[in-house]
Every structure is written in structure tokens, then in C-alpha cells.
Amino acid sequence: MNPHQILQHTRHRPVPMPRGPWLMRQTWRDLLFTHWPVDEQEIAPYIPQGLILDKWEGRPWVSVSPFRVDPLRLRGLPPIPFVHEFLEVNVRTYVVHDNKPGVLFLTLEASSRLAVAGARIGARLPYHHADMHSRGQEDNMIEYSSRRTLKSNEEALFQGMYKAAETSSFHASPGTLTHWLTERYCLYTSSPKHELFRGDIHHLPWPLYPAVLDLQANTIIQSFGLHHDPKPALQTYTPRLDVLLWPLKKV
């Protein structure tokens, strides 16, 4: 879907469209959403000053999403060599600033060293390079693994197989947990000087499918000292989402 078509659909957004031109376009493919409630005291130290930890029925949540970026394009330019396609796993929680809900990334793991360097410098996001692999199986399963070695010589690992459990997709209904977790249209990040920034995004409503998941290993959340149940409380699959991203702005 081209950017003009994406921009024609805005009524589903819970917040107004951002001002100014978008900067980057990404297509996210074979994305798995996995969600866990976590302890507020354990996650509170990771919330930068100026952000409020958002909670659903009194509890904060953390989500892990493995997917493939293909392609990544800057506005007006062709796909960037060596960084237009790569694997990514992000770990995020949910925050609010000035009554605008968004996401805060604890980490973003990527298979491209150039993409990691560019995002860390240009977007102030906590990207890390990881050893990552993904391939499709005959039964439509996506086999996915991500492994990053930490300074403690332990590993931040996500490994599993997943696919859509049904043939029909759905859009999350407002007021549901799924809508609260997915329909967010900005990210927040902070600088080493504790300056707070917001990056707006836009896309059509998430096309979600109930997901089948064989989760074989997941220590990426535990690497932050967060405890959770072995199985996610909620999981969905999206085959494709086209996304527009705006430049970061100081808030």
C-alpha cells in the first residue's frame, strides 16, 4: 500500500495525526505480538522522567514482537542498501505523556549492524545487534530465533515457531486489552541528558489473527530483571503492516 492510501485512513486513530511530513516508511512482515503483565516495582526503574507508566486494570504490561522489516525506505529515496531488509525483535512497555499514550522500548534487537548504528544515532533508540534467523515452514509456521550475548555472558534469547491460528483477521475493539496494547501511534525515548522525545507513527488498524505459538525460549524479558509467566497472556499474528514514521521531536 502506498503512503497516500495509508494517509487517507485516519478515523481509527485515538489521537490526531502528527504535523509535518513523514520521514520513513517501513513494512513489517510476519509479526508476532506476545504480551505479559509484569510487576510495577520491577519495571518502574526503566521509565524515564516525564513519562507515566500506563497500566491496564492496575498492572503494567510488556510485549515482545519478532518480525521482518522489508523494505525500509526514507522518503523520496529507494530502499537503502544493506539496511532495507532485516530481522527485528522489540521489547516494549506502555507509557503516557501529556495525555498521549505511546510505547517505550526496553530494547530493539536487529540483525543489521548498520540499522542498529543508524537507529541508535539518529533516533536515540536502544537498538542492539543480535544473531537472528527466520524461515518459513511448509505448514505456514514461521521459525524465528534471536540471540544476543550480554555483558554478563548470559543471553537475551527469543526462540519459537508461530503462525495464524485462523484464516480470518480482526481489528481490536476499543475498550479491549488487545486494542490498548496494539493501537498506539507514537513512541517515546530519552537522551543521556534525560531529554524526552516523541516519534509519531501512522498505519491502518492492525490486521490481527489469533496465533499458534510454540515458545521454546524467552529470556529477553528476564534480562531486565522482570518476572512473568512462561506463556504469554495474549498473542496475535500479523502478516503485513505498512507504517509511516515521523522525525523525533523534543517534548
mmCIF file of all heavy atoms in Angstrom, residues 89-136:
data_model
loop_
_atom_site.group_PDB
_atom_site.id
_atom_site.type_symbol
_atom_site.label_atom_id
_atom_site.label_comp_id
_atom_site.label_asym_id
_atom_site.label_seq_id
_atom_site.Cartn_x
_atom_site.Cartn_y
_atom_site.Cartn_z
ATOM 1 N N VAL A 89 13.497 -7.876 16.715
ATOM 2 C CA VAL A 89 12.673 -8.241 17.873
ATOM 3 C C VAL A 89 12.682 -7.044 18.804
ATOM 4 O O VAL A 89 13.758 -6.550 19.172
ATOM 5 C CB VAL A 89 13.217 -9.475 18.621
ATOM 6 C CG1 VAL A 89 12.419 -9.716 19.902
ATOM 7 C CG2 VAL A 89 13.157 -10.708 17.741
ATOM 8 N N ASN A 90 11.510 -6.546 19.155
ATOM 9 C CA ASN A 90 11.493 -5.450 20.122
ATOM 10 C C ASN A 90 10.727 -5.829 21.374
ATOM 11 O O ASN A 90 9.813 -6.648 21.348
ATOM 12 C CB ASN A 90 10.997 -4.135 19.501
ATOM 13 C CG ASN A 90 9.574 -4.199 19.009
ATOM 14 O OD1 ASN A 90 8.668 -4.555 19.756
ATOM 15 N ND2 ASN A 90 9.363 -3.826 17.749
ATOM 16 N N VAL A 91 11.166 -5.228 22.460
ATOM 17 C CA VAL A 91 10.534 -5.408 23.771
ATOM 18 C C VAL A 91 10.069 -4.039 24.222
ATOM 19 O O VAL A 91 10.875 -3.108 24.330
ATOM 20 C CB VAL A 91 11.518 -5.998 24.798
ATOM 21 C CG1 VAL A 91 10.822 -6.206 26.144
ATOM 22 C CG2 VAL A 91 12.101 -7.310 24.290
ATOM 23 N N ARG A 92 8.779 -3.913 24.492
ATOM 24 C CA ARG A 92 8.235 -2.595 24.796
ATOM 25 C C ARG A 92 7.276 -2.661 25.970
ATOM 26 O O ARG A 92 6.706 -3.701 26.285
ATOM 27 C CB ARG A 92 7.520 -2.033 23.575
ATOM 28 C CG ARG A 92 6.179 -2.694 23.258
ATOM 29 C CD ARG A 92 5.653 -2.223 21.925
ATOM 30 N NE ARG A 92 4.199 -2.310 21.816
ATOM 31 C CZ ARG A 92 3.497 -1.978 20.748
ATOM 32 N NH1 ARG A 92 4.118 -1.515 19.680
ATOM 33 N NH2 ARG A 92 2.180 -2.063 20.727
ATOM 34 N N THR A 93 7.135 -1.514 26.602
ATOM 35 C CA THR A 93 6.104 -1.344 27.608
ATOM 36 C C THR A 93 5.283 -0.119 27.225
ATOM 37 O O THR A 93 5.512 0.493 26.175
ATOM 38 C CB THR A 93 6.697 -1.224 29.023
ATOM 39 O OG1 THR A 93 5.641 -1.301 29.985
ATOM 40 C CG2 THR A 93 7.476 0.072 29.211
ATOM 41 N N TYR A 94 4.350 0.277 28.089
ATOM 42 C CA TYR A 94 3.323 1.252 27.703
ATOM 43 C C TYR A 94 3.341 2.441 28.653
ATOM 44 O O TYR A 94 3.352 2.279 29.871
ATOM 45 C CB TYR A 94 1.963 0.552 27.658
ATOM 46 C CG TYR A 94 2.003 -0.591 26.667
ATOM 47 C CD1 TYR A 94 2.379 -1.866 27.066
ATOM 48 C CD2 TYR A 94 1.784 -0.351 25.322
ATOM 49 C CE1 TYR A 94 2.495 -2.890 26.139
ATOM 50 C CE2 TYR A 94 1.897 -1.366 24.379
ATOM 51 C CZ TYR A 94 2.252 -2.634 24.800
ATOM 52 O OH TYR A 94 2.384 -3.642 23.881
ATOM 53 N N VAL A 95 3.345 3.636 28.050
ATOM 54 C CA VAL A 95 3.527 4.867 28.808
ATOM 55 C C VAL A 95 2.598 5.954 28.275
ATOM 56 O O VAL A 95 2.003 5.828 27.202
ATOM 57 C CB VAL A 95 4.995 5.354 28.740
ATOM 58 C CG1 VAL A 95 5.934 4.400 29.456
ATOM 59 C CG2 VAL A 95 5.431 5.541 27.284
ATOM 60 N N VAL A 96 2.520 7.041 29.046
ATOM 61 C CA VAL A 96 1.708 8.204 28.677
ATOM 62 C C VAL A 96 2.521 9.464 28.949
ATOM 63 O O VAL A 96 3.235 9.548 29.959
ATOM 64 C CB VAL A 96 0.385 8.250 29.469
ATOM 65 C CG1 VAL A 96 -0.416 9.498 29.103
ATOM 66 C CG2 VAL A 96 -0.451 7.006 29.212
ATOM 67 N N HIS A 97 2.402 10.423 28.046
ATOM 68 C CA HIS A 97 2.960 11.760 28.282
ATOM 69 C C HIS A 97 1.951 12.781 27.784
ATOM 70 O O HIS A 97 1.508 12.705 26.624
ATOM 71 C CB HIS A 97 4.289 11.947 27.551
ATOM 72 C CG HIS A 97 4.836 13.342 27.659
ATOM 73 N ND1 HIS A 97 5.441 13.818 28.800
ATOM 74 C CD2 HIS A 97 4.828 14.364 26.768
ATOM 75 C CE1 HIS A 97 5.796 15.075 28.595
ATOM 76 N NE2 HIS A 97 5.438 15.429 27.380
ATOM 77 N N ASP A 98 1.599 13.718 28.629
ATOM 78 C CA ASP A 98 0.678 14.786 28.245
ATOM 79 C C ASP A 98 -0.610 14.215 27.638
ATOM 80 O O ASP A 98 -1.092 14.693 26.610
ATOM 81 C CB ASP A 98 1.359 15.735 27.259
ATOM 82 C CG ASP A 98 0.621 17.063 27.105
ATOM 83 O OD1 ASP A 98 -0.129 17.431 28.037
ATOM 84 O OD2 ASP A 98 0.805 17.721 26.074
ATOM 85 N N ASN A 99 -1.128 13.179 28.283
ATOM 86 C CA ASN A 99 -2.376 12.510 27.871
ATOM 87 C C ASN A 99 -2.272 11.817 26.512
ATOM 88 O O ASN A 99 -3.298 11.458 25.926
ATOM 89 C CB ASN A 99 -3.549 13.501 27.845
ATOM 90 C CG ASN A 99 -3.898 14.014 29.223
ATOM 91 O OD1 ASN A 99 -3.907 13.252 30.188
ATOM 92 N ND2 ASN A 99 -4.165 15.305 29.326
ATOM 93 N N LYS A 100 -1.062 11.615 26.001
ATOM 94 C CA LYS A 100 -0.882 10.922 24.724
ATOM 95 C C LYS A 100 -0.221 9.570 24.976
ATOM 96 O O LYS A 100 0.971 9.498 25.300
ATOM 97 C CB LYS A 100 -0.035 11.758 23.767
ATOM 98 C CG LYS A 100 0.018 11.181 22.356
ATOM 99 C CD LYS A 100 0.624 12.166 21.380
ATOM 100 C CE LYS A 100 0.558 11.622 19.949
ATOM 101 N NZ LYS A 100 1.048 12.596 18.961
ATOM 102 N N PRO A 101 -0.984 8.479 24.848
ATOM 103 C CA PRO A 101 -0.406 7.155 25.107
ATOM 104 C C PRO A 101 0.562 6.746 24.009
ATOM 105 O O PRO A 101 0.390 7.079 22.836
ATOM 106 C CB PRO A 101 -1.638 6.243 25.138
ATOM 107 C CG PRO A 101 -2.646 6.944 24.290
ATOM 108 C CD PRO A 101 -2.404 8.417 24.484
ATOM 109 N N GLY A 102 1.590 6.013 24.396
ATOM 110 C CA GLY A 102 2.577 5.539 23.439
ATOM 111 C C GLY A 102 3.306 4.338 23.980
ATOM 112 O O GLY A 102 2.877 3.717 24.957
ATOM 113 N N VAL A 103 4.404 3.999 23.328
ATOM 114 C CA VAL A 103 5.206 2.855 23.751
ATOM 115 C C VAL A 103 6.608 3.329 24.111
ATOM 116 O O VAL A 103 7.102 4.345 23.607
ATOM 117 C CB VAL A 103 5.275 1.775 22.656
ATOM 118 C CG1 VAL A 103 3.872 1.295 22.288
ATOM 119 C CG2 VAL A 103 6.004 2.266 21.420
ATOM 120 N N LEU A 104 7.237 2.580 24.995
ATOM 121 C CA LEU A 104 8.624 2.797 25.381
ATOM 122 C C LEU A 104 9.363 1.490 25.155
ATOM 123 O O LEU A 104 8.974 0.452 25.695
ATOM 124 C CB LEU A 104 8.728 3.214 26.843
ATOM 125 C CG LEU A 104 10.150 3.330 27.399
ATOM 126 C CD1 LEU A 104 10.841 4.581 26.855
ATOM 127 C CD2 LEU A 104 10.142 3.357 28.924
ATOM 128 N N PHE A 105 10.414 1.524 24.358
ATOM 129 C CA PHE A 105 11.166 0.318 24.063
ATOM 130 C C PHE A 105 12.246 0.091 25.117
ATOM 131 O O PHE A 105 13.071 0.970 25.376
ATOM 132 C CB PHE A 105 11.809 0.415 22.682
ATOM 133 C CG PHE A 105 10.812 0.389 21.554
ATOM 134 C CD1 PHE A 105 10.503 1.538 20.846
ATOM 135 C CD2 PHE A 105 10.172 -0.796 21.218
ATOM 136 C CE1 PHE A 105 9.586 1.509 19.808
ATOM 137 C CE2 PHE A 105 9.242 -0.831 20.187
ATOM 138 C CZ PHE A 105 8.944 0.314 19.483
ATOM 139 N N LEU A 106 12.245 -1.113 25.688
ATOM 140 C CA LEU A 106 13.328 -1.510 26.575
ATOM 141 C C LEU A 106 14.540 -1.941 25.759
ATOM 142 O O LEU A 106 15.676 -1.679 26.138
ATOM 143 C CB LEU A 106 12.878 -2.646 27.490
ATOM 144 C CG LEU A 106 11.664 -2.357 28.379
ATOM 145 C CD1 LEU A 106 11.357 -3.563 29.260
ATOM 146 C CD2 LEU A 106 11.879 -1.114 29.223
ATOM 147 N N THR A 107 14.294 -2.608 24.650
ATOM 148 C CA THR A 107 15.354 -2.976 23.719
ATOM 149 C C THR A 107 14.752 -3.260 22.365
ATOM 150 O O THR A 107 13.577 -3.645 22.255
ATOM 151 C CB THR A 107 16.141 -4.204 24.204
ATOM 152 O OG1 THR A 107 17.216 -4.484 23.285
ATOM 153 C CG2 THR A 107 15.259 -5.436 24.314
ATOM 154 N N LEU A 108 15.560 -3.075 21.330
ATOM 155 C CA LEU A 108 15.213 -3.459 19.974
ATOM 156 C C LEU A 108 16.414 -4.221 19.423
ATOM 157 O O LEU A 108 17.507 -3.661 19.288
ATOM 158 C CB LEU A 108 14.894 -2.251 19.094
ATOM 159 C CG LEU A 108 13.789 -1.311 19.614
ATOM 160 C CD1 LEU A 108 14.412 -0.093 20.294
ATOM 161 C CD2 LEU A 108 12.865 -0.859 18.485
ATOM 162 N N GLU A 109 16.230 -5.501 19.147
ATOM 163 C CA GLU A 109 17.302 -6.341 18.628
ATOM 164 C C GLU A 109 17.149 -6.410 17.110
ATOM 165 O O GLU A 109 16.036 -6.598 16.597
ATOM 166 C CB GLU A 109 17.204 -7.743 19.219
ATOM 167 C CG GLU A 109 16.808 -7.778 20.690
ATOM 168 C CD GLU A 109 17.969 -7.558 21.635
ATOM 169 O OE1 GLU A 109 18.751 -8.502 21.829
ATOM 170 O OE2 GLU A 109 18.077 -6.444 22.199
ATOM 171 N N ALA A 110 18.238 -6.282 16.368
ATOM 172 C CA ALA A 110 18.159 -6.311 14.913
ATOM 173 C C ALA A 110 19.336 -7.075 14.331
ATOM 174 O O ALA A 110 20.424 -7.123 14.922
ATOM 175 C CB ALA A 110 18.118 -4.896 14.347
ATOM 176 N N SER A 111 19.120 -7.659 13.150
ATOM 177 C CA SER A 111 20.163 -8.461 12.512
ATOM 178 C C SER A 111 21.142 -7.614 11.709
ATOM 179 O O SER A 111 22.204 -8.106 11.326
ATOM 180 C CB SER A 111 19.517 -9.517 11.599
ATOM 181 O OG SER A 111 18.746 -8.892 10.574
ATOM 182 N N SER A 112 20.800 -6.356 11.435
ATOM 183 C CA SER A 112 21.644 -5.480 10.635
ATOM 184 C C SER A 112 22.448 -4.544 11.527
ATOM 185 O O SER A 112 21.872 -3.729 12.262
ATOM 186 C CB SER A 112 20.789 -4.657 9.666
ATOM 187 O OG SER A 112 21.530 -3.604 9.089
ATOM 188 N N ARG A 113 23.769 -4.630 11.463
ATOM 189 C CA ARG A 113 24.608 -3.726 12.258
ATOM 190 C C ARG A 113 24.439 -2.274 11.811
ATOM 191 O O ARG A 113 24.481 -1.360 12.636
ATOM 192 C CB ARG A 113 26.076 -4.139 12.158
ATOM 193 C CG ARG A 113 26.376 -5.490 12.809
ATOM 194 C CD ARG A 113 27.864 -5.796 12.782
ATOM 195 N NE ARG A 113 28.159 -7.107 13.334
ATOM 196 C CZ ARG A 113 28.337 -7.366 14.630
ATOM 197 N NH1 ARG A 113 28.253 -6.370 15.501
ATOM 198 N NH2 ARG A 113 28.607 -8.584 15.042
ATOM 199 N N LEU A 114 24.266 -2.052 10.497
ATOM 200 C CA LEU A 114 24.078 -0.692 10.008
ATOM 201 C C LEU A 114 22.761 -0.103 10.494
ATOM 202 O O LEU A 114 22.695 1.077 10.867
ATOM 203 C CB LEU A 114 24.139 -0.671 8.484
ATOM 204 C CG LEU A 114 25.518 -0.869 7.851
ATOM 205 C CD1 LEU A 114 25.401 -0.918 6.338
ATOM 206 C CD2 LEU A 114 26.472 0.245 8.278
ATOM 207 N N ALA A 115 21.702 -0.908 10.499
ATOM 208 C CA ALA A 115 20.420 -0.429 11.002
ATOM 209 C C ALA A 115 20.512 -0.099 12.485
ATOM 210 O O ALA A 115 19.947 0.899 12.952
ATOM 211 C CB ALA A 115 19.338 -1.478 10.762
ATOM 212 N N VAL A 116 21.223 -0.918 13.233
ATOM 213 C CA VAL A 116 21.419 -0.662 14.665
ATOM 214 C C VAL A 116 22.146 0.657 14.890
ATOM 215 O O VAL A 116 21.733 1.493 15.693
ATOM 216 C CB VAL A 116 22.194 -1.823 15.319
ATOM 217 C CG1 VAL A 116 22.658 -1.446 16.720
ATOM 218 C CG2 VAL A 116 21.325 -3.075 15.368
ATOM 219 N N ALA A 117 23.247 0.864 14.167
ATOM 220 C CA ALA A 117 24.033 2.090 14.330
ATOM 221 C C ALA A 117 23.212 3.315 13.951
ATOM 222 O O ALA A 117 23.222 4.336 14.657
ATOM 223 C CB ALA A 117 25.304 2.014 13.491
ATOM 224 N N GLY A 118 22.479 3.229 12.837
ATOM 225 C CA GLY A 118 21.682 4.372 12.398
ATOM 226 C C GLY A 118 20.579 4.722 13.377
ATOM 227 O O GLY A 118 20.329 5.902 13.653
ATOM 228 N N ALA A 119 19.913 3.710 13.921
ATOM 229 C CA ALA A 119 18.811 3.965 14.846
ATOM 230 C C ALA A 119 19.318 4.493 16.185
ATOM 231 O O ALA A 119 18.664 5.329 16.814
ATOM 232 C CB ALA A 119 18.007 2.686 15.047
ATOM 233 N N ARG A 120 20.451 4.008 16.635
ATOM 234 C CA ARG A 120 20.995 4.482 17.917
ATOM 235 C C ARG A 120 21.421 5.954 17.814
ATOM 236 O O ARG A 120 21.214 6.739 18.740
ATOM 237 C CB ARG A 120 22.181 3.628 18.349
ATOM 238 C CG ARG A 120 21.809 2.209 18.756
ATOM 239 C CD ARG A 120 23.018 1.453 19.280
ATOM 240 N NE ARG A 120 23.443 1.961 20.570
ATOM 241 C CZ ARG A 120 23.038 1.482 21.742
ATOM 242 N NH1 ARG A 120 22.180 0.478 21.785
ATOM 243 N NH2 ARG A 120 23.483 1.988 22.870
ATOM 244 N N ILE A 121 21.998 6.324 16.669
ATOM 245 C CA ILE A 121 22.470 7.695 16.489
ATOM 246 C C ILE A 121 21.329 8.620 16.091
ATOM 247 O O ILE A 121 21.145 9.696 16.660
ATOM 248 C CB ILE A 121 23.594 7.740 15.433
ATOM 249 C CG1 ILE A 121 24.812 6.952 15.915
ATOM 250 C CG2 ILE A 121 23.972 9.186 15.125
ATOM 251 C CD1 ILE A 121 25.878 6.768 14.854
ATOM 252 N N GLY A 122 20.535 8.202 15.104
ATOM 253 C CA GLY A 122 19.533 9.098 14.546
ATOM 254 C C GLY A 122 18.234 9.157 15.310
ATOM 255 O O GLY A 122 17.529 10.175 15.259
ATOM 256 N N ALA A 123 17.895 8.072 16.031
ATOM 257 C CA ALA A 123 16.594 8.024 16.703
ATOM 258 C C ALA A 123 16.698 7.824 18.210
ATOM 259 O O ALA A 123 15.659 7.712 18.882
ATOM 260 C CB ALA A 123 15.737 6.910 16.099
ATOM 261 N N ARG A 124 17.920 7.748 18.737
ATOM 262 C CA ARG A 124 18.120 7.621 20.188
ATOM 263 C C ARG A 124 17.382 6.402 20.770
ATOM 264 O O ARG A 124 16.908 6.444 21.904
ATOM 265 C CB ARG A 124 17.663 8.894 20.912
ATOM 266 C CG ARG A 124 18.409 10.158 20.508
ATOM 267 C CD ARG A 124 17.885 11.373 21.242
ATOM 268 N NE ARG A 124 18.669 12.561 20.978
ATOM 269 C CZ ARG A 124 18.458 13.394 19.969
ATOM 270 N NH1 ARG A 124 17.479 13.145 19.121
ATOM 271 N NH2 ARG A 124 19.197 14.462 19.804
ATOM 272 N N LEU A 125 17.302 5.356 19.980
ATOM 273 C CA LEU A 125 16.595 4.158 20.424
ATOM 274 C C LEU A 125 17.598 3.091 20.853
ATOM 275 O O LEU A 125 18.681 2.966 20.278
ATOM 276 C CB LEU A 125 15.715 3.615 19.293
ATOM 277 C CG LEU A 125 14.509 4.476 18.925
ATOM 278 C CD1 LEU A 125 13.834 3.945 17.666
ATOM 279 C CD2 LEU A 125 13.513 4.542 20.077
ATOM 280 N N PRO A 126 17.229 2.271 21.852
ATOM 281 C CA PRO A 126 18.166 1.279 22.404
ATOM 282 C C PRO A 126 18.267 0.021 21.536
ATOM 283 O O PRO A 126 17.889 -1.081 21.945
ATOM 284 C CB PRO A 126 17.565 0.977 23.781
ATOM 285 C CG PRO A 126 16.100 1.178 23.592
ATOM 286 C CD PRO A 126 15.979 2.334 22.632
ATOM 287 N N TYR A 127 18.779 0.190 20.323
ATOM 288 C CA TYR A 127 18.973 -0.933 19.414
ATOM 289 C C TYR A 127 20.238 -1.706 19.772
ATOM 290 O O TYR A 127 21.238 -1.125 20.219
ATOM 291 C CB TYR A 127 19.085 -0.448 17.975
ATOM 292 C CG TYR A 127 17.786 -0.449 17.209
ATOM 293 C CD1 TYR A 127 16.924 0.632 17.266
ATOM 294 C CD2 TYR A 127 17.423 -1.537 16.422
ATOM 295 C CE1 TYR A 127 15.726 0.641 16.552
ATOM 296 C CE2 TYR A 127 16.234 -1.548 15.701
ATOM 297 C CZ TYR A 127 15.396 -0.457 15.770
ATOM 298 O OH TYR A 127 14.222 -0.459 15.069
ATOM 299 N N HIS A 128 20.210 -3.023 19.538
ATOM 300 C CA HIS A 128 21.363 -3.889 19.743
ATOM 301 C C HIS A 128 21.426 -4.903 18.610
ATOM 302 O O HIS A 128 20.395 -5.366 18.121
ATOM 303 C CB HIS A 128 21.267 -4.637 21.078
ATOM 304 C CG HIS A 128 21.185 -3.741 22.273
ATOM 305 N ND1 HIS A 128 19.978 -3.302 22.785
ATOM 306 C CD2 HIS A 128 22.143 -3.175 23.035
ATOM 307 C CE1 HIS A 128 20.202 -2.519 23.822
ATOM 308 N NE2 HIS A 128 21.507 -2.422 23.990
ATOM 309 N N HIS A 129 22.638 -5.237 18.222
ATOM 310 C CA HIS A 129 22.794 -6.269 17.208
ATOM 311 C C HIS A 129 22.662 -7.642 17.856
ATOM 312 O O HIS A 129 23.150 -7.886 18.952
ATOM 313 C CB HIS A 129 24.155 -6.156 16.522
ATOM 314 C CG HIS A 129 24.377 -7.207 15.492
ATOM 315 N ND1 HIS A 129 25.159 -8.319 15.722
ATOM 316 C CD2 HIS A 129 23.891 -7.347 14.226
ATOM 317 C CE1 HIS A 129 25.158 -9.078 14.652
ATOM 318 N NE2 HIS A 129 24.402 -8.516 13.725
ATOM 319 N N ALA A 130 21.987 -8.551 17.158
ATOM 320 C CA ALA A 130 21.799 -9.913 17.642
ATOM 321 C C ALA A 130 21.956 -10.892 16.494
ATOM 322 O O ALA A 130 21.794 -10.534 15.318
ATOM 323 C CB ALA A 130 20.419 -10.068 18.291
ATOM 324 N N ASP A 131 22.272 -12.113 16.849
ATOM 325 C CA ASP A 131 22.319 -13.202 15.871
ATOM 326 C C ASP A 131 20.893 -13.696 15.670
ATOM 327 O O ASP A 131 20.291 -14.258 16.588
ATOM 328 C CB ASP A 131 23.217 -14.321 16.406
ATOM 329 C CG ASP A 131 23.352 -15.473 15.419
ATOM 330 O OD1 ASP A 131 23.071 -15.270 14.220
ATOM 331 O OD2 ASP A 131 23.716 -16.586 15.861
ATOM 332 N N MET A 132 20.342 -13.489 14.475
ATOM 333 C CA MET A 132 18.922 -13.721 14.245
ATOM 334 C C MET A 132 18.705 -14.540 12.976
ATOM 335 O O MET A 132 19.434 -14.381 11.993
ATOM 336 C CB MET A 132 18.170 -12.391 14.151
ATOM 337 C CG MET A 132 18.418 -11.466 15.323
ATOM 338 S SD MET A 132 17.631 -9.842 15.166
ATOM 339 C CE MET A 132 15.938 -10.275 15.544
ATOM 340 N N HIS A 133 17.685 -15.404 13.033
ATOM 341 C CA HIS A 133 17.344 -16.243 11.887
ATOM 342 C C HIS A 133 15.829 -16.407 11.830
ATOM 343 O O HIS A 133 15.160 -16.500 12.866
ATOM 344 C CB HIS A 133 18.009 -17.615 11.995
ATOM 345 C CG HIS A 133 19.492 -17.568 12.136
ATOM 346 N ND1 HIS A 133 20.339 -17.427 11.048
ATOM 347 C CD2 HIS A 133 20.283 -17.609 13.239
ATOM 348 C CE1 HIS A 133 21.590 -17.394 11.472
ATOM 349 N NE2 HIS A 133 21.585 -17.507 12.797
ATOM 350 N N SER A 134 15.291 -16.450 10.612
ATOM 351 C CA SER A 134 13.863 -16.687 10.421
ATOM 352 C C SER A 134 13.664 -17.417 9.106
ATOM 353 O O SER A 134 14.318 -17.099 8.105
ATOM 354 C CB SER A 134 13.090 -15.365 10.408
ATOM 355 O OG SER A 134 11.715 -15.595 10.154
ATOM 356 N N ARG A 135 12.749 -18.387 9.113
ATOM 357 C CA ARG A 135 12.413 -19.083 7.877
ATOM 358 C C ARG A 135 11.009 -19.653 7.986
ATOM 359 O O ARG A 135 10.529 -19.973 9.072
ATOM 360 C CB ARG A 135 13.416 -20.195 7.570
ATOM 361 C CG ARG A 135 13.442 -21.332 8.598
ATOM 362 C CD ARG A 135 14.402 -22.408 8.167
ATOM 363 N NE ARG A 135 14.424 -23.517 9.111
ATOM 364 C CZ ARG A 135 15.122 -24.635 8.924
ATOM 365 N NH1 ARG A 135 15.859 -24.782 7.833
ATOM 366 N NH2 ARG A 135 15.084 -25.598 9.822
ATOM 367 N N GLY A 136 10.354 -19.757 6.841
ATOM 368 C CA GLY A 136 9.020 -20.303 6.792
ATOM 369 C C GLY A 136 9.039 -21.812 6.643
ATOM 370 O O GLY A 136 9.928 -22.369 5.999
#
